Amino acid sequence: MKASRESAQSIPSSRNLQEMMRKHPLFFFFLMSYAFTWIVLIPYILSVWGVIKGNFEFLYIIKPFAGPTLAGIIMTGITEGKAGLRGLWRRLGHGRAGWQWYLLILLAIPALILLGIVIQPGMLASFQGLTPRLLVTYPLYFAIVFFGVALPEEIGWRGFALPRMQPRYGPLWGTLLLGILWCFWHLIFFLTPGQGGGPGTSFTTLLISFAYFFVMVMAFSIIFTWVFNHTGGSVFIANLLHAAIDTPQLAWIPLFLAVDETSLNLASVIAFVIPAILIVVLTRGRLGYRPGITFEVSESEK
């Protein structure tokens, strides 16, 4: 009888939690994104800093899947049910966009990052030269980043969060808020070698690196929203854009001995802050957003 009473009490409690999550979908999405990712990373960070022994590098690889991916899928299911999950799946496969968007993403974005690298002092002198191997490794790196980094993150950031933040806060303020939350989700990564941190790294170095990273993410957030709004809310296109931004971390660094994580972030700051400002000015802060567009988000979710 006692077990039956406890079971009966847990049902309303579960329903109350789900109702609260439906009323505050963005809060719970970001809460889960941060919590899932940071909790997963704790053993890896402790091992990097020598607090515990063991190889936990696989946790660094799966962190996006444990964070925004899982949070986005859970919250979509809770707020919109199976219909919402089907809509998210459709936007993941929606790749119909004008050729100019593919040209921008696949050619212009990497070229601008490369330009941001070579104009920094000492970079050209450290250039190792191009080899035919790059023709093979770059597409391979792109595919790895697309499926291993971009896809799991964008299911959450542009798949779940942005379609709800634009109608609620407006396209510009919603984008800037998303950019801040997206940036600080990465904060814990700066304790790891993968983000230029780890044992022996000075606080000043980390502070400078994160400052560049913050400006970079804010600029990219504006570009992401602008592209997203002009491609019908396509998460597939957002994935491509994310992969085009991150692939140079694997492809360009081996070509320049002087390039590190901080200088790579600085390259993106140099290359994309002015374009982001121009997008804001020329669109008057609308970033291509048209009131009434839901991107398959129900009216009750706005």
Side-chain angles (χ1 to χ4, degrees):
M1 291 294 293
K2 183 178 179 181
S4 299
R5 285 196 300 270
E6 290 177 351
S7 177
Q9 290 173 356
S10 67
I11 294 174
S13 177
S14 176
R15 288 175 179 172
N16 290 339
L17 177 59
Q18 289 188 29
E19 185 61 29
M20 188 180 300
M21 294 172 81
R22 291 189 189 99
K23 288 181 178 179
H24 307 283
L26 288 169
F27 171 81
F28 281 98
F29 164 74
F30 285 110
L31 176 65
M32 287 190 289
S33 294
Y34 273 69
F36 293 165
T37 300
W38 288 24
I39 289 172
V40 163
L41 271 181
I42 286 174
Y44 172 66
I45 292 173
L46 292 178
S47 68
V48 166
W49 286 84
V51 178
I52 61 175
K53 295 182 178 180
N55 187 343
F56 297 93
E57 288 187 10
F58 72 97
L59 295 177
Y60 192 83
I61 297 172
I62 69 170
K63 65 185 184 302
F65 295 93
T69 299
L70 190 56
I73 291 173
I74 291 174
M75 290 307 302
T76 298
I78 288 176
T79 57
E80 298 183 76
K82 292 182 179 179
L85 291 172
R86 287 194 295 268
L88 178 59
W89 179 255
R90 283 193 294 270
R91 290 191 292 123
L92 281 169
H94 173 59
R96 285 182 293 179
W99 61 267
Q100 69 273 21
W101 299 108
Y102 284 95
L103 188 64
L104 168 70
I105 292 168
L106 298 177
L107 294 180
I109 293 293
L112 286 171
I113 294 174
L114 184 59
L115 177 64
I117 291 173
V118 299
I119 66 174
Q120 294 181 54
M123 292 301 169
L124 275 178
S126 72
F127 183 55
Q128 299 299 291
L130 295 174
T131 64
R133 182 183 178 187
L134 187 64
L135 296 176
V136 176
T137 57
Y138 192 90
L140 178 61
Y141 288 151
F142 192 95
I144 292 172
V145 173
F146 181 91
F147 291 105
V149 178
L151 177 64
E153 284 197 39
E154 292 307 323
I155 286 175
W157 308 139
R158 257 58 65 168
F160 181 84
L162 184 60
R164 289 162 175 80
M165 298 181 81
Q166 287 197 99
R168 182 169 182 177
Y169 300 107
L172 180 57
W173 290 112
T175 294
L176 295 178
L177 178 58
L178 175 57
I180 291 170
L181 293 167
W182 180 26
C183 176
F184 278 89
W185 175 77
H186 291 83
L187 181 60
I188 195 172
F189 303 173
F190 282 78
L191 297 175
T192 70
Q195 204 69 44
T201 306
S202 70
F203 178 75
T204 302
T205 299
L206 287 179
L207 189 62
I208 293 172
S209 182
F210 187 75
Y212 288 151
F213 184 79
F214 177 83
V215 176
M216 177 190 75
V217 169
M218 298 306 290
F220 277 134
S221 294
I222 291 169
I223 295 171
F224 263 102
T225 298
W226 178 64
V227 172
F228 181 86
N229 287 336
H230 281 92
T231 55
S234 171
V235 182
F236 175 81
I237 298 296
N239 292 341
L240 279 182
L241 178 56
H242 199 140
I245 292 167
D246 284 1
T247 299
Q249 294 186 32
L250 299 175
W252 297 152
I253 286 180
L255 299 179
F256 297 87
L257 292 180
V259 171
D260 56 16
E261 193 70 29
T262 299
S263 60
L264 193 59
N265 290 341
L266 178 58
S268 293
V269 170
I270 294 169
F272 297 107
V273 165
I274 291 177
I277 292 173
L278 287 175
I279 289 172
V280 173
V281 172
L282 294 175
T283 66
R284 298 180 181 178
R286 290 192 292 268
L287 309 182
Y289 179 73
R290 298 191 305 275
I293 293 180
T294 61
F295 301 122
E296 303 195 46
V297 176
S298 64
E299 291 295 324
S300 62
E301 286 300 304
K302 292 184 181 180

